Amino acid sequence: MKYKVSQIAEINSNSIKPKLYSGALNYEDTSSVTDNCFIRPIRYDNITEAPSRARRKAAIGDTVISTVRPNNLHYGFIDKNNCDWIYSTGFAVVHPDKKIVDPFYLFLLLSLKSTTQKLQDIGETSKSTYPAVKPDDIANLQFEIPSLEKQKKISFIFKNLYQKSKLNNQINDNLDDLMTTIFNNKIINSKFEVSSLTNIANYKNGLAMQKFRPTENSESLPVLKIRELNQGSTDNNSDRCSANIDPEVIVNTGDIIFSWSGTLLVKIWSGNKSGLNQHLFKVTSSEYPNWFIYEWTKFHLHKFQSIAAGKATTMGHIKRNDLKSSKVLIPDKVSFDKFNKIMSPIYEKRLEFIKENQSLMTFKENLLTKYF
C-alpha cells in the first residue's frame, strides 16, 4: 500500500526553547552528517554560545535529512549514540509512526538514490541561491510500504551492514588517535634533525577538471572535490573527468589528500580511483612512509586553518611558502626504524578497514537494487 511520508511520520515535531534550555549541549550541523556517518559534534557549555540554528531535537528511530543540497547526502539515522544531540534547523527531523513503518525501513526509503534525486530536482526549482527543499516536500514523498514483518526483515539486514561499517569507522578513528598520540609522544619536542614539510613530501596540486571533460564513449573517472573528500567517497552526482590525465593527479584508495583551500583538512582517501580536482593536494613521498608524512601534515593543520581563516577572501587558503616554512623533525635511522615498526602496522590496519567498508557499501548498493 502507498503512503505519503506525512501519513506515516511527523516532521520537526520537537525543538528546544532557548529561554528554557540550560546546561551544555552537543551540536551537529548538516555538513557533519553524510550517508549515515556522524562526525563528532561540537560541544557548547550553554545555548547562548551555540549557533542560532541549534534547535532541533531527535529521538531514537528518527531520521535527520538536510533540506539544503539534497545530493550532498546529509542524512542519518538516530540511535542511542546520537539521540541526545541538538541538530541544526537545516535538518528535517522525521519521526516515524511505528505502528505503520519500521524506523530503519523509513530511513532506507528516505536515503534511496531515487529519493535523493527527486528532492534534488525539487530543490533546483526553488528560488533559493542553492538547491533547497521544504519539510512539506519531504512530507509529500510517496512510498510503497509492505507489511511490518517484511519491513523488519529488510531493516535487519541493512542495519547490520551499517553497524559493521560504523564500527569499522569507530575503530579507524581510534587507530588514528592512537597514531597521533604515539607520534606526539615519541617525535614532537624531541631533539631530532630539523627540516620542513616540503623536504619530506611532495604536495601535488589537482587540476581544474572542467578543462578535462571526458569525450563521448571514452574512459572516465569521478572527480574528487571537497564534497567527496568530506563524505569519503564519490557518487553518481560527482563530476567526471577524462581517465587520460597525469597519473600524479589520479587518486587511489589509501592516498593522502590535503585540502588547502576553503575547508582545510587532511584525510586518507577512502573512496575509489578518482581524478584530483584543484585546491586539493595529493601528498606522497619517495623517501618516507605514509604515516610519517600524514602525521606531520596533520600536525600543522590547525596552523594552516588559522592562516586560511585570516585571509581577506571568501575562500581562505594557504600557499606553498606556508608548507615550506612548516618545520618537521626527522629521527635518526635507529629511532626511525623503531618507530616505523610500531606505526606502519597501525597505518596498514586503517587501510584494511577502509577497503572492507568499500566492499560493504558495494554489497549494500547491490542489495538496495534487489529490495527496492
Side-chain angles (χ1 to χ4, degrees):
M1 184 174 176
K2 283 191 174 181
Y3 288 90
K4 286 186 175 181
V5 171
S6 59
Q7 295 175 299
I8 58 176
E10 296 178 341
I11 298 179
N12 297 339
S13 58
N14 198 358
S15 298
I16 63 173
K17 294 178 173 59
K19 291 183 179 179
L20 300 178
Y21 191 91
S22 62
L25 61 89
N26 291 314
Y27 170 66
E28 195 79 338
D29 207 344
T30 53
S31 61
S32 299
V33 182
T34 303
D35 194 15
N36 205 32
C37 291
F38 292 72
I39 296 176
R40 294 169 185 171
I42 301 173
R43 185 169 180 81
Y44 293 98
D45 290 333
N46 55 70
I47 189 67
T48 58
E49 295 180 359
S52 60
R53 57 187 180 276
R55 295 290 182 267
R56 298 272 188 252
K57 293 185 72 174
I60 294 175
D62 288 354
T63 292
V64 292
I65 180 169
S66 174
T67 57
V68 176
R69 297 186 178 91
N71 65 356
N72 282 357
L73 311 183
H74 295 318
Y75 50 68
F77 184 72
I78 305 300
D79 57 24
K80 63 181 181 180
N81 297 309
N82 51 28
C83 64
D84 293 327
W85 301 351
I86 302 299
Y87 291 85
S88 168
T89 52
F91 283 115
V93 181
V94 185
H95 181 66
D97 181 348
K98 296 178 183 178
K99 295 178 182 177
I100 304 174
V101 64
D102 176 78
F104 200 80
Y105 190 85
L106 180 57
F107 163 73
L108 291 173
L109 292 173
L110 292 172
S111 60
L112 289 173
K113 289 182 179 179
S114 56
T115 303
T116 298
Q117 188 58 55
K118 186 168 186 176
L119 291 176
Q120 180 69 18
D121 291 343
I122 293 172
E124 289 176 353
T125 65
S126 68
K127 295 180 181 179
S128 174
T129 54
Y130 42 78
V133 298
K134 299 175 182 177
D136 282 348
D137 295 321
I138 298 172
N140 288 327
L141 292 171
Q142 196 171 43
F143 299 106
E144 187 72 38
I145 305 294
S147 67
L148 263 175
E149 181 183 4
K150 185 174 182 179
Q151 291 177 51
K152 290 178 179 179
K153 286 181 179 178
I154 295 172
S155 293
F156 178 78
I157 295 170
F158 285 97
K159 190 178 290 187
N160 283 337
L161 286 174
Y162 271 107
Q163 287 177 342
K164 173 57 177 169
S165 177
K166 187 176 290 188
L167 178 60
N168 284 352
N169 286 331
Q170 290 172 346
I171 295 173
N172 226 333
D173 288 343
N174 289 338
L175 291 175
D176 191 41
D177 291 342
L178 176 61
M179 283 176 57
T180 300
T181 299
I182 296 172
F183 181 82
N184 290 342
N185 287 341
K186 300 294 185 181
I187 297 179
I188 302 300
N189 297 324
S190 298
K191 294 181 179 179
F192 295 131
E193 177 188 348
V194 178
S195 188
S196 74
L197 277 180
T198 51
N199 285 340
I200 67 168
N202 176 46
Y203 291 81
K204 178 65 177 178
N205 195 22
L207 302 175
M209 286 303 178
Q210 68 269 23
K211 298 179 181 179
F212 297 87
R213 301 289 188 192
T215 57
E216 189 175 356
N217 299 324
S218 66
E219 187 180 355
S220 67
L221 293 171
V223 177
L224 168 53
K225 297 182 178 181
I226 288 289
R227 182 179 78 89
E228 286 76 13
L229 186 62
N230 271 314
Q231 71 184 32
S233 63
T234 55
D235 55 42
N236 290 340
N237 294 304
S238 300
D239 289 342
R240 307 289 298 188
C241 67
S242 171
N244 187 27
I245 54 177
D246 184 352
E248 290 191 356
V249 294
I250 292 178
V251 179
N252 293 292
T253 306
D255 285 344
I256 301 168
I257 306 300
F258 172 33
S259 165
W260 57 270
S261 179
T263 304
L264 273 68
L265 65 158
V266 182
K267 281 194 172 184
I268 300 172
W269 176 235
S270 57
N272 293 314
K273 188 176 181 180
S274 312
L276 187 68
N277 199 52
Q278 60 184 344
H279 305 306
L280 298 174
F281 284 134
K282 178 180 173 182
V283 187
T284 60
S285 177
S286 58
E287 186 174 357
Y288 297 99
N290 281 343
W291 66 263
F292 190 70
I293 58 176
Y294 170 74
E295 287 296 337
W296 270 119
T297 305
K298 193 169 71 167
F299 176 80
H300 289 287
L301 181 61
H302 182 70
K303 180 186 72 175
F304 293 150
Q305 289 170 336
S306 298
I307 293 171
K311 301 288 184 182
T313 62
T314 56
M315 196 171 186
H317 62 279
I318 64 167
K319 299 180 179 179
R320 284 197 177 271
N321 279 340
D322 296 316
L323 296 172
K324 189 175 182 180
S325 63
S326 297
K327 301 302 181 184
V328 304
L329 300 173
I330 303 177
D332 58 83
K333 188 179 184 309
V334 173
S335 299
F336 204 110
D337 289 344
K338 180 180 178 182
F339 298 150
N340 195 42
K341 287 180 181 178
I342 298 172
M343 298 290 273
S344 283
I346 301 174
Y347 191 90
E348 292 303 317
K349 180 59 69 174
R350 291 200 65 200
L351 294 184
E352 287 179 22
F353 282 117
I354 287 171
K355 291 177 180 178
E356 182 178 0
N357 270 2
Q358 280 187 341
S359 298
L360 288 173
M361 290 304 101
T362 300
F363 183 49
K364 182 200 76 172
E365 291 301 323
N366 291 337
L367 283 181
L368 283 172
T369 302
K370 175 183 177 181
Y371 286 111
F372 298 93

